Amino acid sequence: MVTAVRTLDEGAWVNVNNTRIVGVSDIWPLVDHDVCDCDTALFLVEVFTDIGVDGPWVEARAAGQCIGCGERGATGWLRIGRADGDEFRSIDYEGGQRPSNARFSD
């Protein structure tokens, strides 16, 4: 099965199989990161810079700002969901937050 993955609206959305699944303006608590010196960066996503697929996983890199310290930066690859056949499943994060970059298992 082929999964179509792309960005829309100049990096404002990640689109999987013609469905917008993740948009900018979310705050992601990043645990393992190089964005800033905060233990957990509260990262405001401003743009998706890259998207890709690693096996069944849909991943993205984003640029934005830590709202805790104000530092700007970009993330590494973060898993945002997985393609199961022709269905996409978003990763559920504590409190409804998006990637805490992968302190989870397959």
Side-chain angles (χ1 to χ4, degrees):
M1 177 75 30
V2 174
T3 301
V5 178
R6 62 190 175 127
T7 58
L8 293 175
D9 301 330
E10 298 178 7
W13 290 94
V14 174
N15 182 296
V16 176
N17 291 334
N18 296 318
T19 301
R20 293 176 181 196
I21 58 160
V22 180
V24 297
S25 299
D26 283 346
I27 295 176
W28 295 357
L30 302 179
V31 177
D32 298 319
H33 64 89
D34 293 326
V35 173
C36 62
D37 291 331
C38 297
D39 289 335
T40 299
L42 297 177
F43 189 72
L44 174 63
V45 177
E46 296 174 344
V47 65
F48 292 101
T49 58
D50 293 298
I51 55 167
V53 176
D54 181 15
W57 293 105
V58 176
E59 299 180 329
R61 291 196 289 196
Q65 180 176 16
C66 175
I67 63 171
C69 70
E71 187 74 27
R72 294 187 154 293
T75 69
W77 288 104
L78 303 172
R79 290 178 175 175
I80 58 174
R82 74 185 286 149
D84 289 328
D86 55 348
E87 182 176 82
F88 177 80
R89 296 178 189 266
S90 293
I91 294 175
D92 293 325
Y93 295 94
E94 280 184 38
Q97 296 294 317
R98 288 280 173 187
S100 63
N101 64 327
R103 293 229 173 148
F104 59 89
S105 60
D106 322 70

